mmCIF file of all heavy atoms in Angstrom:
data_model
loop_
_atom_site.group_PDB
_atom_site.id
_atom_site.type_symbol
_atom_site.label_atom_id
_atom_site.label_comp_id
_atom_site.label_asym_id
_atom_site.label_seq_id
_atom_site.Cartn_x
_atom_site.Cartn_y
_atom_site.Cartn_z
ATOM 1 N N GLU A 192 7.857 -54.184 -47.951
ATOM 2 C CA GLU A 192 8.847 -55.240 -47.733
ATOM 3 C C GLU A 192 8.712 -56.330 -48.796
ATOM 4 O O GLU A 192 9.713 -56.815 -49.334
ATOM 5 C CB GLU A 192 8.669 -55.826 -46.330
ATOM 6 C CG GLU A 192 9.784 -56.764 -45.925
ATOM 7 C CD GLU A 192 9.637 -57.233 -44.487
ATOM 8 O OE1 GLU A 192 9.282 -56.410 -43.617
ATOM 9 O OE2 GLU A 192 9.889 -58.425 -44.255
ATOM 10 N N LEU A 193 7.477 -56.707 -49.118
ATOM 11 C CA LEU A 193 7.253 -57.712 -50.170
ATOM 12 C C LEU A 193 7.823 -57.231 -51.504
ATOM 13 O O LEU A 193 8.487 -57.988 -52.216
ATOM 14 C CB LEU A 193 5.758 -58.008 -50.314
ATOM 15 C CG LEU A 193 5.114 -58.823 -49.207
ATOM 16 C CD1 LEU A 193 3.592 -58.780 -49.323
ATOM 17 C CD2 LEU A 193 5.620 -60.263 -49.246
ATOM 18 N N LEU A 194 7.556 -55.973 -51.850
ATOM 19 C CA LEU A 194 8.053 -55.425 -53.113
ATOM 20 C C LEU A 194 9.576 -55.346 -53.121
ATOM 21 O O LEU A 194 10.220 -55.716 -54.099
ATOM 22 C CB LEU A 194 7.451 -54.042 -53.366
ATOM 23 C CG LEU A 194 5.962 -54.016 -53.692
ATOM 24 C CD1 LEU A 194 5.440 -52.592 -53.657
ATOM 25 C CD2 LEU A 194 5.689 -54.658 -55.042
ATOM 26 N N LEU A 195 10.140 -54.874 -52.030
ATOM 27 C CA LEU A 195 11.599 -54.716 -51.955
ATOM 28 C C LEU A 195 12.328 -56.052 -51.936
ATOM 29 O O LEU A 195 13.509 -56.117 -52.287
ATOM 30 C CB LEU A 195 11.977 -53.878 -50.729
ATOM 31 C CG LEU A 195 11.514 -52.416 -50.807
ATOM 32 C CD1 LEU A 195 11.706 -51.722 -49.465
ATOM 33 C CD2 LEU A 195 12.236 -51.672 -51.919
ATOM 34 N N ASN A 196 11.618 -57.124 -51.560
ATOM 35 C CA ASN A 196 12.203 -58.474 -51.586
ATOM 36 C C ASN A 196 12.041 -59.146 -52.944
ATOM 37 O O ASN A 196 12.311 -60.335 -53.079
ATOM 38 C CB ASN A 196 11.601 -59.340 -50.484
ATOM 39 C CG ASN A 196 12.154 -58.984 -49.126
ATOM 40 O OD1 ASN A 196 13.289 -58.529 -49.000
ATOM 41 N ND2 ASN A 196 11.359 -59.172 -48.087
ATOM 42 N N GLY A 197 11.589 -58.404 -53.944
ATOM 43 C CA GLY A 197 11.548 -58.929 -55.305
ATOM 44 C C GLY A 197 10.236 -59.518 -55.757
ATOM 45 O O GLY A 197 10.147 -60.032 -56.877
ATOM 46 N N ASN A 198 9.200 -59.470 -54.932
ATOM 47 C CA ASN A 198 7.894 -59.976 -55.357
ATOM 48 C C ASN A 198 7.321 -59.042 -56.413
ATOM 49 O O ASN A 198 7.422 -57.822 -56.291
ATOM 50 C CB ASN A 198 6.942 -60.053 -54.165
ATOM 51 C CG ASN A 198 7.360 -61.111 -53.174
ATOM 52 O OD1 ASN A 198 7.128 -62.285 -53.410
ATOM 53 N ND2 ASN A 198 7.993 -60.701 -52.094
ATOM 54 N N GLU A 199 6.715 -59.622 -57.437
ATOM 55 C CA GLU A 199 6.120 -58.835 -58.513
ATOM 56 C C GLU A 199 4.622 -59.106 -58.575
ATOM 57 O O GLU A 199 4.182 -60.234 -58.409
ATOM 58 C CB GLU A 199 6.769 -59.187 -59.853
ATOM 59 C CG GLU A 199 8.235 -58.799 -59.891
ATOM 60 C CD GLU A 199 8.873 -59.080 -61.230
ATOM 61 O OE1 GLU A 199 8.135 -59.297 -62.225
ATOM 62 O OE2 GLU A 199 10.103 -59.095 -61.286
ATOM 63 N N PHE A 200 3.865 -58.032 -58.811
ATOM 64 C CA PHE A 200 2.412 -58.128 -58.835
ATOM 65 C C PHE A 200 1.869 -57.443 -60.074
ATOM 66 O O PHE A 200 2.435 -56.464 -60.547
ATOM 67 C CB PHE A 200 1.816 -57.478 -57.577
ATOM 68 C CG PHE A 200 2.323 -58.111 -56.312
ATOM 69 C CD1 PHE A 200 3.345 -57.515 -55.585
ATOM 70 C CD2 PHE A 200 1.813 -59.320 -55.876
ATOM 71 C CE1 PHE A 200 3.836 -58.103 -54.434
ATOM 72 C CE2 PHE A 200 2.306 -59.917 -54.723
ATOM 73 C CZ PHE A 200 3.310 -59.312 -54.003
ATOM 74 N N ASP A 201 0.748 -57.974 -60.570
ATOM 75 C CA ASP A 201 0.070 -57.356 -61.712
ATOM 76 C C ASP A 201 -0.867 -56.246 -61.273
ATOM 77 O O ASP A 201 -1.213 -55.377 -62.073
ATOM 78 C CB ASP A 201 -0.724 -58.405 -62.499
ATOM 79 C CG ASP A 201 0.200 -59.390 -63.202
ATOM 80 O OD1 ASP A 201 1.223 -58.943 -63.755
ATOM 81 O OD2 ASP A 201 -0.092 -60.597 -63.181
ATOM 82 N N LEU A 202 -1.287 -56.292 -60.009
ATOM 83 C CA LEU A 202 -2.192 -55.285 -59.476
ATOM 84 C C LEU A 202 -2.057 -55.262 -57.961
ATOM 85 O O LEU A 202 -1.862 -56.313 -57.342
ATOM 86 C CB LEU A 202 -3.650 -55.612 -59.841
ATOM 87 C CG LEU A 202 -4.712 -54.635 -59.364
ATOM 88 C CD1 LEU A 202 -4.623 -53.299 -60.115
ATOM 89 C CD2 LEU A 202 -6.101 -55.223 -59.527
ATOM 90 N N ILE A 203 -2.162 -54.059 -57.398
ATOM 91 C CA ILE A 203 -2.137 -53.895 -55.943
ATOM 92 C C ILE A 203 -3.446 -53.235 -55.518
ATOM 93 O O ILE A 203 -3.838 -52.216 -56.079
ATOM 94 C CB ILE A 203 -0.944 -53.024 -55.501
ATOM 95 C CG1 ILE A 203 0.381 -53.690 -55.914
ATOM 96 C CG2 ILE A 203 -0.998 -52.764 -53.998
ATOM 97 C CD1 ILE A 203 1.605 -52.813 -55.711
ATOM 98 N N LEU A 204 -4.116 -53.858 -54.544
ATOM 99 C CA LEU A 204 -5.331 -53.306 -53.951
ATOM 100 C C LEU A 204 -4.964 -52.878 -52.541
ATOM 101 O O LEU A 204 -4.586 -53.714 -51.718
ATOM 102 C CB LEU A 204 -6.440 -54.360 -53.895
ATOM 103 C CG LEU A 204 -6.794 -55.044 -55.207
ATOM 104 C CD1 LEU A 204 -7.821 -56.144 -54.965
ATOM 105 C CD2 LEU A 204 -7.323 -54.043 -56.202
ATOM 106 N N SER A 205 -5.055 -51.581 -52.255
ATOM 107 C CA SER A 205 -4.597 -51.080 -50.964
ATOM 108 C C SER A 205 -5.665 -50.296 -50.223
ATOM 109 O O SER A 205 -6.317 -49.415 -50.787
ATOM 110 C CB SER A 205 -3.377 -50.173 -51.160
ATOM 111 O OG SER A 205 -2.945 -49.631 -49.929
ATOM 112 N N ASP A 206 -5.787 -50.604 -48.937
ATOM 113 C CA ASP A 206 -6.591 -49.796 -48.026
ATOM 114 C C ASP A 206 -5.900 -48.443 -47.879
ATOM 115 O O ASP A 206 -4.718 -48.296 -48.199
ATOM 116 C CB ASP A 206 -6.669 -50.512 -46.676
ATOM 117 C CG ASP A 206 -7.584 -49.836 -45.675
ATOM 118 O OD1 ASP A 206 -8.440 -49.027 -46.080
ATOM 119 O OD2 ASP A 206 -7.443 -50.119 -44.475
ATOM 120 N N VAL A 207 -6.608 -47.447 -47.390
ATOM 121 C CA VAL A 207 -6.021 -46.131 -47.160
ATOM 122 C C VAL A 207 -5.593 -45.975 -45.707
ATOM 123 O O VAL A 207 -4.444 -45.664 -45.411
ATOM 124 C CB VAL A 207 -7.002 -45.003 -47.561
ATOM 125 C CG1 VAL A 207 -6.495 -43.655 -47.101
ATOM 126 C CG2 VAL A 207 -7.204 -45.005 -49.072
ATOM 127 N N GLU A 208 -6.512 -46.215 -44.786
ATOM 128 C CA GLU A 208 -6.236 -45.975 -43.372
ATOM 129 C C GLU A 208 -5.662 -47.243 -42.729
ATOM 130 O O GLU A 208 -6.393 -48.186 -42.444
ATOM 131 C CB GLU A 208 -7.512 -45.548 -42.660
ATOM 132 C CG GLU A 208 -8.053 -44.231 -43.187
ATOM 133 C CD GLU A 208 -9.328 -43.819 -42.511
ATOM 134 O OE1 GLU A 208 -10.285 -44.612 -42.520
ATOM 135 O OE2 GLU A 208 -9.359 -42.701 -41.975
ATOM 136 N N MET A 209 -4.334 -47.224 -42.517
ATOM 137 C CA MET A 209 -3.624 -48.353 -41.921
ATOM 138 C C MET A 209 -2.511 -47.820 -41.023
ATOM 139 O O MET A 209 -2.000 -46.726 -41.253
ATOM 140 C CB MET A 209 -2.987 -49.235 -43.000
ATOM 141 C CG MET A 209 -3.927 -49.833 -43.994
ATOM 142 S SD MET A 209 -3.068 -50.819 -45.251
ATOM 143 C CE MET A 209 -2.276 -49.554 -46.239
ATOM 144 N N PRO A 210 -2.090 -48.623 -40.044
ATOM 145 C CA PRO A 210 -0.960 -48.209 -39.202
ATOM 146 C C PRO A 210 0.373 -48.381 -39.938
ATOM 147 O O PRO A 210 0.436 -49.033 -40.976
ATOM 148 C CB PRO A 210 -1.048 -49.167 -38.017
ATOM 149 C CG PRO A 210 -1.716 -50.391 -38.568
ATOM 150 C CD PRO A 210 -2.672 -49.892 -39.628
ATOM 151 N N HIS A 211 1.413 -47.804 -39.379
ATOM 152 C CA HIS A 211 2.796 -47.887 -39.851
ATOM 153 C C HIS A 211 3.003 -47.101 -41.141
ATOM 154 O O HIS A 211 3.524 -46.011 -41.105
ATOM 155 C CB HIS A 211 3.288 -49.327 -39.965
ATOM 156 C CG HIS A 211 3.079 -50.122 -38.716
ATOM 157 N ND1 HIS A 211 3.701 -49.824 -37.532
ATOM 158 C CD2 HIS A 211 2.283 -51.174 -38.447
ATOM 159 C CE1 HIS A 211 3.308 -50.655 -36.598
ATOM 160 N NE2 HIS A 211 2.436 -51.498 -37.127
ATOM 161 N N VAL A 212 2.626 -47.641 -42.253
ATOM 162 C CA VAL A 212 2.664 -46.918 -43.536
ATOM 163 C C VAL A 212 1.244 -46.974 -44.081
ATOM 164 O O VAL A 212 0.740 -48.052 -44.390
ATOM 165 C CB VAL A 212 3.661 -47.566 -44.517
ATOM 166 C CG1 VAL A 212 3.578 -46.907 -45.883
ATOM 167 C CG2 VAL A 212 5.086 -47.496 -43.976
ATOM 168 N N ASP A 213 0.587 -45.801 -44.166
ATOM 169 C CA ASP A 213 -0.796 -45.815 -44.646
ATOM 170 C C ASP A 213 -0.833 -45.933 -46.170
ATOM 171 O O ASP A 213 0.201 -45.929 -46.842
ATOM 172 C CB ASP A 213 -1.588 -44.618 -44.130
ATOM 173 C CG ASP A 213 -1.180 -43.278 -44.738
ATOM 174 O OD1 ASP A 213 -0.620 -43.234 -45.846
ATOM 175 O OD2 ASP A 213 -1.444 -42.249 -44.088
ATOM 176 N N GLY A 214 -2.039 -46.054 -46.697
ATOM 177 C CA GLY A 214 -2.199 -46.258 -48.137
ATOM 178 C C GLY A 214 -1.665 -45.127 -48.989
ATOM 179 O O GLY A 214 -1.105 -45.360 -50.061
ATOM 180 N N TRP A 215 -1.831 -43.880 -48.520
ATOM 181 C CA TRP A 215 -1.326 -42.743 -49.296
ATOM 182 C C TRP A 215 0.193 -42.766 -49.356
ATOM 183 O O TRP A 215 0.778 -42.566 -50.426
ATOM 184 C CB TRP A 215 -1.792 -41.416 -48.697
ATOM 185 C CG TRP A 215 -3.267 -41.242 -48.591
ATOM 186 C CD1 TRP A 215 -3.971 -40.914 -47.469
ATOM 187 C CD2 TRP A 215 -4.252 -41.359 -49.626
ATOM 188 N NE1 TRP A 215 -5.307 -40.831 -47.741
ATOM 189 C CE2 TRP A 215 -5.515 -41.094 -49.060
ATOM 190 C CE3 TRP A 215 -4.191 -41.677 -50.979
ATOM 191 C CZ2 TRP A 215 -6.701 -41.126 -49.791
ATOM 192 C CZ3 TRP A 215 -5.375 -41.713 -51.714
ATOM 193 C CH2 TRP A 215 -6.596 -41.435 -51.127
ATOM 194 N N GLU A 216 0.847 -43.036 -48.225
ATOM 195 C CA GLU A 216 2.318 -43.109 -48.194
ATOM 196 C C GLU A 216 2.807 -44.260 -49.068
ATOM 197 O O GLU A 216 3.780 -44.115 -49.815
ATOM 198 C CB GLU A 216 2.808 -43.305 -46.754
ATOM 199 C CG GLU A 216 2.521 -42.133 -45.850
ATOM 200 C CD GLU A 216 2.709 -42.476 -44.383
ATOM 201 O OE1 GLU A 216 2.347 -43.596 -43.955
ATOM 202 O OE2 GLU A 216 3.210 -41.595 -43.661
ATOM 203 N N PHE A 217 2.126 -45.390 -48.976
ATOM 204 C CA PHE A 217 2.482 -46.544 -49.794
ATOM 205 C C PHE A 217 2.367 -46.205 -51.276
ATOM 206 O O PHE A 217 3.276 -46.468 -52.065
ATOM 207 C CB PHE A 217 1.576 -47.735 -49.445
ATOM 208 C CG PHE A 217 1.780 -48.913 -50.342
ATOM 209 C CD1 PHE A 217 2.852 -49.775 -50.158
ATOM 210 C CD2 PHE A 217 0.911 -49.163 -51.395
ATOM 211 C CE1 PHE A 217 3.055 -50.851 -51.010
ATOM 212 C CE2 PHE A 217 1.103 -50.232 -52.244
ATOM 213 C CZ PHE A 217 2.184 -51.078 -52.047
ATOM 214 N N LEU A 218 1.251 -45.611 -51.658
ATOM 215 C CA LEU A 218 1.012 -45.248 -53.054
ATOM 216 C C LEU A 218 2.083 -44.289 -53.557
ATOM 217 O O LEU A 218 2.623 -44.480 -54.649
ATOM 218 C CB LEU A 218 -0.375 -44.631 -53.202
ATOM 219 C CG LEU A 218 -0.774 -44.134 -54.587
ATOM 220 C CD1 LEU A 218 -0.773 -45.271 -55.601
ATOM 221 C CD2 LEU A 218 -2.144 -43.467 -54.518
ATOM 222 N N GLU A 219 2.402 -43.272 -52.771
ATOM 223 C CA GLU A 219 3.436 -42.309 -53.163
ATOM 224 C C GLU A 219 4.772 -42.997 -53.401
ATOM 225 O O GLU A 219 5.451 -42.725 -54.379
ATOM 226 C CB GLU A 219 3.618 -41.238 -52.078
ATOM 227 C CG GLU A 219 2.767 -40.022 -52.284
ATOM 228 C CD GLU A 219 3.137 -38.922 -51.320
ATOM 229 O OE1 GLU A 219 2.955 -39.115 -50.105
ATOM 230 O OE2 GLU A 219 3.612 -37.871 -51.795
ATOM 231 N N TYR A 220 5.142 -43.908 -52.496
ATOM 232 C CA TYR A 220 6.416 -44.605 -52.631
ATOM 233 C C TYR A 220 6.430 -45.463 -53.900
ATOM 234 O O TYR A 220 7.368 -45.397 -54.691
ATOM 235 C CB TYR A 220 6.710 -45.482 -51.408
ATOM 236 C CG TYR A 220 8.047 -46.159 -51.516
ATOM 237 C CD1 TYR A 220 9.188 -45.548 -51.037
ATOM 238 C CD2 TYR A 220 8.181 -47.392 -52.155
ATOM 239 C CE1 TYR A 220 10.429 -46.144 -51.171
ATOM 240 C CE2 TYR A 220 9.411 -47.997 -52.298
ATOM 241 C CZ TYR A 220 10.533 -47.372 -51.804
ATOM 242 O OH TYR A 220 11.770 -47.962 -51.952
ATOM 243 N N VAL A 221 5.390 -46.268 -54.064
ATOM 244 C CA VAL A 221 5.341 -47.181 -55.213
ATOM 245 C C VAL A 221 5.407 -46.410 -56.526
ATOM 246 O O VAL A 221 6.177 -46.747 -57.426
ATOM 247 C CB VAL A 221 4.081 -48.072 -55.156
ATOM 248 C CG1 VAL A 221 3.868 -48.810 -56.466
ATOM 249 C CG2 VAL A 221 4.191 -49.058 -54.012
ATOM 250 N N LYS A 222 4.611 -45.376 -56.650
ATOM 251 C CA LYS A 222 4.543 -44.642 -57.919
ATOM 252 C C LYS A 222 5.784 -43.805 -58.196
ATOM 253 O O LYS A 222 6.024 -43.426 -59.336
ATOM 254 C CB LYS A 222 3.282 -43.766 -57.952
ATOM 255 C CG LYS A 222 2.011 -44.592 -58.082
ATOM 256 C CD LYS A 222 2.038 -45.438 -59.349
ATOM 257 C CE LYS A 222 0.799 -46.241 -59.565
ATOM 258 N NZ LYS A 222 0.801 -46.957 -60.840
ATOM 259 N N SER A 223 6.602 -43.535 -57.172
ATOM 260 C CA SER A 223 7.823 -42.771 -57.394
ATOM 261 C C SER A 223 9.039 -43.666 -57.590
ATOM 262 O O SER A 223 10.128 -43.174 -57.871
ATOM 263 C CB SER A 223 8.073 -41.812 -56.218
ATOM 264 O OG SER A 223 8.355 -42.560 -55.044
ATOM 265 N N ASP A 224 8.866 -44.967 -57.480
ATOM 266 C CA ASP A 224 9.974 -45.902 -57.598
ATOM 267 C C ASP A 224 10.080 -46.436 -59.035
ATOM 268 O O ASP A 224 9.088 -46.861 -59.613
ATOM 269 C CB ASP A 224 9.778 -47.069 -56.628
ATOM 270 C CG ASP A 224 10.982 -47.980 -56.570
ATOM 271 O OD1 ASP A 224 11.081 -48.869 -57.455
ATOM 272 O OD2 ASP A 224 11.819 -47.805 -55.671
ATOM 273 N N ALA A 225 11.281 -46.422 -59.571
ATOM 274 C CA ALA A 225 11.501 -46.873 -60.954
ATOM 275 C C ALA A 225 11.149 -48.347 -61.149
ATOM 276 O O ALA A 225 10.738 -48.751 -62.236
ATOM 277 C CB ALA A 225 12.951 -46.621 -61.354
ATOM 278 N N ASN A 226 11.282 -49.161 -60.118
ATOM 279 C CA ASN A 226 11.008 -50.594 -60.236
ATOM 280 C C ASN A 226 9.528 -50.936 -60.140
ATOM 281 O O ASN A 226 9.087 -51.937 -60.684
ATOM 282 C CB ASN A 226 11.758 -51.371 -59.154
ATOM 283 C CG ASN A 226 13.250 -51.258 -59.328
ATOM 284 O OD1 ASN A 226 13.779 -51.445 -60.417
ATOM 285 N ND2 ASN A 226 13.941 -50.907 -58.253
ATOM 286 N N PHE A 227 8.758 -50.136 -59.405
ATOM 287 C CA PHE A 227 7.364 -50.476 -59.130
ATOM 288 C C PHE A 227 6.354 -49.518 -59.731
ATOM 289 O O PHE A 227 5.155 -49.791 -59.708
ATOM 290 C CB PHE A 227 7.100 -50.506 -57.613
ATOM 291 C CG PHE A 227 8.173 -51.164 -56.814
ATOM 292 C CD1 PHE A 227 8.790 -50.482 -55.773
ATOM 293 C CD2 PHE A 227 8.591 -52.447 -57.084
ATOM 294 C CE1 PHE A 227 9.780 -51.070 -55.022
ATOM 295 C CE2 PHE A 227 9.587 -53.055 -56.343
ATOM 296 C CZ PHE A 227 10.184 -52.367 -55.307
ATOM 297 N N GLY A 228 6.795 -48.389 -60.229
ATOM 298 C CA GLY A 228 5.886 -47.334 -60.679
ATOM 299 C C GLY A 228 4.886 -47.759 -61.733
ATOM 300 O O GLY A 228 3.829 -47.161 -61.866
ATOM 301 N N HIS A 229 5.203 -48.799 -62.485
ATOM 302 C CA HIS A 229 4.309 -49.274 -63.549
ATOM 303 C C HIS A 229 3.157 -50.139 -63.038
ATOM 304 O O HIS A 229 2.191 -50.385 -63.752
ATOM 305 C CB HIS A 229 5.115 -50.085 -64.571
ATOM 306 C CG HIS A 229 5.612 -51.384 -63.998
ATOM 307 N ND1 HIS A 229 6.705 -51.453 -63.167
ATOM 308 C CD2 HIS A 229 5.148 -52.644 -64.127
ATOM 309 C CE1 HIS A 229 6.901 -52.712 -62.803
ATOM 310 N NE2 HIS A 229 5.963 -53.465 -63.373
ATOM 311 N N VAL A 230 3.248 -50.610 -61.790
ATOM 312 C CA VAL A 230 2.226 -51.512 -61.258
ATOM 313 C C VAL A 230 0.969 -50.717 -60.918
ATOM 314 O O VAL A 230 1.025 -49.746 -60.180
ATOM 315 C CB VAL A 230 2.737 -52.238 -59.990
ATOM 316 C CG1 VAL A 230 1.658 -53.162 -59.426
ATOM 317 C CG2 VAL A 230 4.012 -53.019 -60.292
ATOM 318 N N PRO A 231 -0.184 -51.126 -61.446
ATOM 319 C CA PRO A 231 -1.427 -50.428 -61.123
ATOM 320 C C PRO A 231 -1.783 -50.612 -59.645
ATOM 321 O O PRO A 231 -1.706 -51.724 -59.119
ATOM 322 C CB PRO A 231 -2.479 -51.082 -62.010
ATOM 323 C CG PRO A 231 -1.769 -52.031 -62.901
ATOM 324 C CD PRO A 231 -0.380 -52.208 -62.401
ATOM 325 N N VAL A 232 -2.147 -49.511 -59.006
ATOM 326 C CA VAL A 232 -2.569 -49.539 -57.604
ATOM 327 C C VAL A 232 -3.987 -48.983 -57.532
ATOM 328 O O VAL A 232 -4.253 -47.892 -58.025
ATOM 329 C CB VAL A 232 -1.631 -48.696 -56.711
ATOM 330 C CG1 VAL A 232 -2.099 -48.731 -55.264
ATOM 331 C CG2 VAL A 232 -0.182 -49.173 -56.827
ATOM 332 N N VAL A 233 -4.865 -49.752 -56.908
ATOM 333 C CA VAL A 233 -6.244 -49.321 -56.692
ATOM 334 C C VAL A 233 -6.433 -49.145 -55.194
ATOM 335 O O VAL A 233 -6.138 -50.056 -54.412
ATOM 336 C CB VAL A 233 -7.249 -50.353 -57.246
ATOM 337 C CG1 VAL A 233 -8.679 -49.972 -56.892
ATOM 338 C CG2 VAL A 233 -7.075 -50.493 -58.749
ATOM 339 N N MET A 234 -6.897 -47.973 -54.814
ATOM 340 C CA MET A 234 -7.156 -47.690 -53.414
ATOM 341 C C MET A 234 -8.585 -48.125 -53.088
ATOM 342 O O MET A 234 -9.511 -47.842 -53.853
ATOM 343 C CB MET A 234 -6.984 -46.191 -53.129
ATOM 344 C CG MET A 234 -5.634 -45.626 -53.566
ATOM 345 S SD MET A 234 -4.200 -46.499 -52.929
ATOM 346 C CE MET A 234 -4.232 -46.001 -51.218
ATOM 347 N N ILE A 235 -8.731 -48.828 -51.958
ATOM 348 C CA ILE A 235 -10.039 -49.301 -51.526
ATOM 349 C C ILE A 235 -10.267 -48.754 -50.124
ATOM 350 O O ILE A 235 -9.485 -49.026 -49.215
ATOM 351 C CB ILE A 235 -10.111 -50.836 -51.527
ATOM 352 C CG1 ILE A 235 -9.790 -51.354 -52.926
ATOM 353 C CG2 ILE A 235 -11.480 -51.307 -51.070
ATOM 354 C CD1 ILE A 235 -9.649 -52.839 -53.010
ATOM 355 N N THR A 236 -11.339 -47.960 -49.953
ATOM 356 C CA THR A 236 -11.510 -47.244 -48.702
ATOM 357 C C THR A 236 -12.974 -46.930 -48.428
ATOM 358 O O THR A 236 -13.805 -47.003 -49.322
ATOM 359 C CB THR A 236 -10.689 -45.929 -48.751
ATOM 360 O OG1 THR A 236 -10.815 -45.240 -47.524
ATOM 361 C CG2 THR A 236 -11.137 -45.049 -49.886
#
């Protein structure tokens, strides 16, 4: 929601095991999106 509302980040640190949208689903979405795919994502688990 933050990303889709236009927030921009230089780095994303994401947990893996979370409710609603887990870290793997989040990572897949971000990296497949033309607007966000360039943002580095680090998984922390």
Side-chain angles (χ1 to χ4, degrees):
E192 190 175 319
L193 287 168
L194 290 169
L195 293 170
N196 284 331
N198 292 282
E199 295 183 16
F200 301 99
D201 292 318
L202 181 70
I203 299 171
L204 306 175
S205 178
D206 185 19
V207 170
E208 297 179 305
M209 300 178 288
H211 308 296
V212 174
D213 70 24
W215 302 127
E216 294 166 321
F217 174 79
L218 177 61
E219 268 189 295
Y220 182 89
V221 168
K222 289 301 182 175
S223 67
D224 188 276
N226 296 312
F227 318 124
H229 68 282
V230 179
V232 179
V233 174
M234 306 307 288
I235 302 172
T236 182

